[in-house]
Structure formats: C-alpha cells, structure tokens
Amino acid sequence: MGSYGKLQDLMNYEKEFGLWLEKESVAELSRANKPHGKNFVGERPYPHFDNKIGIKQLQNKKNKLRQEIIDSDKLAQHSFWPLIRRDQLKRQYKKGDDKKKESKMKNRPIMFASHHDSCIYAFFASLLREKYESRILNTSLNDSVIGYRRIPISQNLQTNKSNIDFANEIFRTIKTRDNFAVICLDIKGFFDSMNHRKIRDSICDILDVGELPKSFKIVLCVIMKYRYISYSRKLNKIISSRKVSDSLHEAIGKNEIAILKNKYARGIPQGSPISDILANIYLYNFDKKMTEKISAWGGALYRRYSDDILLLVPLNKAKEIYEYARAEIEKEKVKIGKDKTEIYKISLADNKIFDITSQYESGYKKNRKRIQYLGFEFDLQNIIERPGTVEKNYRRAKKITKSMEYKATNAKNLGKKLQKSDKPNLFAYQGLSSKKHRNAGFNKQYDKIKKKSLKITKSKRKEVL
C-alpha cells in the first residue's frame, strides 16, 4: 500500500466524516424504528471476518478505523479483508415453442465486504454521491437516472420512489404517446465489464480534479483489484471461530479455501457499498448524450435503472436513436446485450402494442404482447407482475415463514432445556427476560429458575457470565 505516492487529498475528511456519521446515526434511528435505534453502521447484519462497527465507536476521535478513513497515510496501511462471494440463484420462466413454461437458473454473484471495509467504502461513496447529485441537479439527468438514488415522491413527503412508482410513471406516459416506439436495452455484464481506466477518468471528472486524491486511489485500487472467497460451510466455520485470522490462514495453507483475485483491467464487485455510485458515475457522459439527443423530440424520454435502459421516442426516430445508443455505449467500453433488446410500436387507435424488434435485430423470433419493465408487464390495458417477480415474492414469503417456524421451534426446545436444568445459565434467562421471548408453557418454571439463580454468589455469577 505504500506505493500510492505523496499526492495530498483535496478535501477536509475530518469535517466530511463528521457529517457522514451524523447522517448514518439518523439513518439507523429510522431503520430500527425505535427511540434508541441500532448501534452499528450499515443495514445488513451479515456474518463476516470482523464484527460490525458501532456508531459510538466511530464517534470516538481516537478510534483506529476513524483515523484511517480521514488520514490517507493511515488508510494506506489498512489491511482490507477479502470479499465473501455468495451466488444468488434466480429462477427465470419463459414460454417454449410448445407454449409450455420453461425455467432456467440464473446465477448472480454478490460480493460482501467486511464490516470495517464497508465503512470505508460507504464514506467515500457518500463523497462521490454528493458530487454526482450536485452535478445532475436541475438537469434532465435528475429525472432520467433512477437507479441507486433516493428520489422523493414529492417535496412534502419523505418517502422515496420505488420500482413500482418508476414503472407506473412510464406506463402512464406510454398511454399518451400514439405512434411512438418503446426501446428496451440491457447492458451486457455491466459491473463485470466496467473499464478501470474509464472509472478513474469518470471519478476525476466528477471531483473536478486532474488527478485522483490519494485516498480515492487506495479505495479504487482495492475495489478494482478485489479479492474474494466463495462462501462454503468451511468458511462459515472459520467466520464463527474465535481466531478468524489464524483459522483462515490454516485453511488456505491446507488448500481448503482459495482467495481469488480480479486479474483483469475491468470489472468491480457487485454488492459493495461503493459499486452503485461508481456505476452511475461511469455512465454519466452516456446519460448526458442520450438526453441531449432526444431533447428536441417532443414527448420523448430516457430512463436508466442501473443496466436497464428505456427510451420512448417518435416511431420515425426509433432506428436513429437505437443505432446512436449502441454506438455511444461502446465508447464507454461496454456493450448492449442483443438477446435482451426489445422494441415496441404503440398504437392507441388499436389500443395495442406491437413487437417490432425483428425489424431491427435479425434472428429475433419472439413476439411479445407486453412491455417488460422493472418487474412488471404492460399492454396499454393492464399492468401485471412478471412471473419471475411473483415467484420471487412467493419464495421470499416462504423463506420468512420457515424462519419463523424455526425460531418458534428453538424457543420451545430452549424452554424444555430450562425446565430440566439444575444449574441454569444466567445468559439463558437474561435472554428470555422480556415477555415477547417467554414461552407461556414454562413461565412458572422460569420464575423458579430465576429465584434459584439469584442465590448464586457474586463470584460464582462472574464465572458463569
């Protein structure tokens, strides 16, 4: 880490860190929906090599992580943990040639940063987000880029828009555009294809600097040349052990676990706290060119949600804007996925949409009856959830139900153990002290156990605890 040069940072990180920490503290109060809120940074309590970092810990100016974040020289000495990769398998449904539903599994690798590393990424992501938001404010991009941003429903409401709101706005607009074309594009392997040099240039542009500040160089170097370990049962045992570092090195030495590294000059991990803002900044120039191109066409609009692009343009401009979009996106070192390109004609007279993709892409054999966008389908008359979205919500509900059943069973078994125990563990009854955790079947026995435990001497309690 000592080879990053002596470039001085251009920002007051002490002041910016204090403001960011204050926002995080407010966010935690909101997430917890309790007067005291949660006491850690971030919203996902996933297991990793280190423990979650508390907000009170970071408020201490002598905290090591805080000093590393605000001081680029100390940040250069920070040891970043490998990411943990967990593959999210998503079942996709489609109709085959015999009109029967077919399904296939799509793998989506998500990378999880350690909790301390996540704080570093989140802080520098907040600096970039502030610069990016100020750049697009009062421009057409403020309405066009809708992914990874908090866009309020109205000035009077603090609630932000969701995919439902974005999709509803598009479908309502389509119903007023006769003889228009809807062009749906998808960037192929977006996060895996992002060019590293282009990322650096984009960050310099947003920060309005000729060369990256030292701290940003360090963070970008780590996130672009990321290391990761695939999740496994063995890794889970290592994370659960008391000596994580020793157990990890031992497993690596025995070839039970391998640390892999991104060796290419492209690609960033999907799932890190800084990946989303890097994606938006990366396509800033592309978004700007697209909105400028259609600005003179009455009723036209451009929307981008991460790698999903939607264009609504007059029918006679469809071919021009389609070829323009493909040419411009290739200048950004990424490509449009032809297999996911869809182009529709809107006919309000017939109250129908027509799939005209075959006129633009040779070999296209589908004939869709509805426009697909952000998990919904639309045919000028009805808005329905896509089969994949329905299946996803069903699996999520099923998972929650199983989790509740598992917890209920554990609570019942724990109650039986407490009833049989002659030497109750103080941890057990303290964890069950609130009414919501107490099982009605062993309340009387619980009171007996509590009285018996109170007779334990102070020295004995310390041993138990």
Side-chain angles (χ1 to χ4, degrees):
M1 287 291 183
S3 61
Y4 289 107
K6 297 182 179 180
L7 179 66
Q8 296 298 315
D9 285 315
L10 305 178
M11 299 180 182
N12 183 357
Y13 291 123
E14 179 70 52
K15 179 181 177 183
E16 295 293 335
F17 183 82
L19 294 172
W20 171 75
L21 195 59
E22 187 178 342
K23 290 179 182 178
E24 276 293 314
S25 180
V26 173
E28 292 301 341
L29 289 172
S30 174
R31 290 183 194 120
N33 197 25
K34 295 178 181 179
H36 57 275
K38 296 180 181 177
N39 63 349
F40 53 79
V41 178
E43 24 183 330
R44 297 182 292 182
Y46 52 83
H48 216 288
F49 297 117
D50 59 353
N51 296 321
K52 290 194 74 69
I53 184 73
I55 290 177
K56 288 185 178 180
Q57 292 174 268
L58 291 176
Q59 287 173 342
N60 182 1
K61 292 187 177 182
K62 293 183 180 180
N63 180 268
K64 182 182 177 182
L65 181 61
R66 178 185 178 125
Q67 292 177 351
E68 289 174 340
I69 292 175
I70 64 178
D71 189 331
S72 57
D73 291 329
K74 291 181 180 180
L75 180 62
Q77 304 303 320
H78 177 79
S79 297
F80 287 85
W81 283 100
L83 304 170
I84 292 180
R85 169 176 168 163
R86 300 199 68 162
D87 293 341
Q88 291 186 356
L89 296 176
K90 179 181 178 182
R91 189 178 297 277
Q92 293 182 323
Y93 292 89
K94 66 175 183 178
K95 288 186 178 179
D97 296 333
D98 55 355
K99 295 186 178 181
K100 290 184 179 180
K101 281 188 178 180
E102 297 177 352
S103 66
K104 64 177 183 178
M105 300 300 292
K106 180 182 178 182
N107 183 29
R108 186 186 177 203
I110 302 296
M111 307 283 189
F112 295 90
S114 73
H115 301 299
H116 286 64
D117 297 347
S118 290
C119 287
I120 297 174
Y121 296 140
F123 170 68
F124 287 98
S126 70
L127 298 181
L128 292 175
R129 189 170 288 108
E130 185 178 345
K131 293 287 184 180
Y132 176 77
E133 291 292 337
S134 63
R135 178 74 68 90
I136 68 172
L137 186 65
N138 300 324
T139 69
S140 55
L141 293 186
N142 198 33
D143 296 323
S144 299
V145 182
I146 57 178
Y148 310 127
R149 297 179 60 217
R150 294 178 179 177
I151 303 174
I153 294 177
S154 67
Q155 294 181 350
N156 298 328
L157 295 175
Q158 294 182 349
T159 308
N160 296 319
K161 292 181 180 179
S162 65
N163 286 7
I164 297 174
D165 300 301
F166 296 134
N168 189 41
E169 287 176 0
I170 290 294
F171 296 148
R172 282 172 176 264
T173 305
I174 289 173
K175 291 181 72 172
T176 65
R177 301 289 194 271
D178 190 21
N179 216 28
F180 265 60
V182 177
I183 303 173
C184 301
L185 307 174
D186 181 86
I187 302 175
K188 187 176 181 180
F190 182 34
F191 285 89
D192 294 332
S193 304
M194 290 171 61
N195 182 271
H196 290 173
R197 179 171 290 184
K198 178 72 172 57
I199 292 174
R200 294 189 188 97
D201 293 342
S202 301
I203 300 300
C204 286
D205 179 41
I206 287 295
L207 296 178
D208 197 20
V209 295
E211 188 177 0
L212 281 174
K214 183 178 178 180
S215 293
F216 279 96
K217 273 189 175 182
I218 297 168
V219 172
L220 287 179
C221 181
V222 174
I223 207 70
M224 292 190 296
K225 296 297 181 182
Y226 62 91
R227 300 173 303 143
Y228 68 93
I229 300 175
S230 295
Y231 183 81
S232 62
R233 290 185 177 180
K234 180 64 179 179
L235 183 63
N236 189 47
K237 288 183 179 179
I238 292 173
I239 294 171
S240 304
S241 66
R242 292 184 178 182
K243 297 181 179 180
V244 175
S245 184
D246 293 341
S247 301
L248 181 60
H249 282 92
E250 183 181 347
I252 293 171
K254 293 180 179 180
N255 292 325
E256 296 176 336
I257 282 178
I259 298 180
L260 303 178
K261 183 179 179 180
N262 179 28
K263 299 179 181 179
Y264 305 102
R266 64 180 184 276
I268 62 172
Q270 188 172 356
S272 76
I274 200 172
S275 297
D276 54 358
I277 186 59
L278 290 180
N280 277 345
I281 292 174
Y282 188 86
L283 290 180
Y284 169 75
N285 288 327
F286 173 77
D287 295 332
K288 188 178 179 181
K289 289 177 182 177
M290 295 303 296
T291 54
E292 289 175 352
K293 180 72 174 177
I294 67 171
S295 60
W297 303 342
L301 62 80
Y302 165 79
R303 294 290 184 270
R304 182 179 65 80
Y305 190 104
S306 187
D307 56 354
D308 291 324
I309 298 170
L310 184 140
L311 287 150
L312 180 61
V313 298
L315 189 60
N316 60 352
K317 298 289 186 180
K319 185 175 182 180
E320 178 183 347
I321 195 65
Y322 175 56
E323 293 177 350
Y324 181 80
R326 287 185 58 180
E328 289 300 324
I329 201 69
E330 288 184 4
K331 293 180 182 178
E332 309 299 331
K333 310 295 184 182
V334 290
K335 293 182 179 181
I336 296 294
K338 291 185 178 181
D339 56 328
K340 292 189 177 181
T341 296
E342 298 171 10
I343 304 174
Y344 304 92
K345 174 188 173 182
I346 308 300
S347 176
L348 297 184
D350 299 320
N351 199 25
K352 288 183 179 180
I353 66 164
F354 298 93
D355 190 341
I356 58 173
T357 312
S358 58
Q359 299 177 20
Y360 300 84
E361 287 292 341
S362 59
Y364 182 85
K365 297 181 180 179
K366 300 174 184 177
N367 185 24
R368 298 187 183 276
K369 304 296 183 182
R370 300 185 183 94
I371 299 171
Q372 301 185 56
Y373 186 61
L374 298 181
F376 296 90
E377 295 183 353
F378 176 63
D379 62 359
L380 291 184
Q381 300 175 37
N382 301 302
I383 301 174
I384 62 173
E385 283 188 313
R386 292 176 61 183
T389 307
V390 175
E391 178 68 18
K392 178 181 176 182
N393 292 335
Y394 170 77
R395 290 197 306 269
R396 186 179 294 171
K398 190 175 180 180
K399 185 178 179 180
I400 292 172
T401 304
K402 283 188 175 181
S403 176
M404 292 174 67
E405 289 176 353
Y406 176 79
K407 289 178 180 178
T409 304
N410 276 2
K412 187 176 181 181
N413 293 337
L414 183 59
K416 291 179 180 178
K417 288 180 181 179
L418 283 173
Q419 290 176 17
K420 296 177 181 179
S421 176
D422 294 327
K423 297 179 180 180
N425 189 330
L426 289 178
F427 278 126
Y429 83 76
Q430 285 178 356
L432 295 167
S433 58
S434 60
K435 289 183 179 180
K436 65 178 181 178
H437 291 300
R438 290 174 61 173
N439 188 308
F442 65 91
N443 276 350
K444 291 183 180 179
Q445 187 68 18
Y446 165 83
D447 292 332
K448 291 181 181 178
I449 292 170
K450 190 173 180 180
K451 289 179 181 178
K452 189 185 291 184
S453 64
L454 291 175
K455 295 179 181 179
I456 302 174
T457 62
K458 291 183 180 181
S459 59
K460 188 66 177 176
R461 270 191 204 183
K462 287 180 181 177
E463 292 177 11
V464 176
L465 287 170

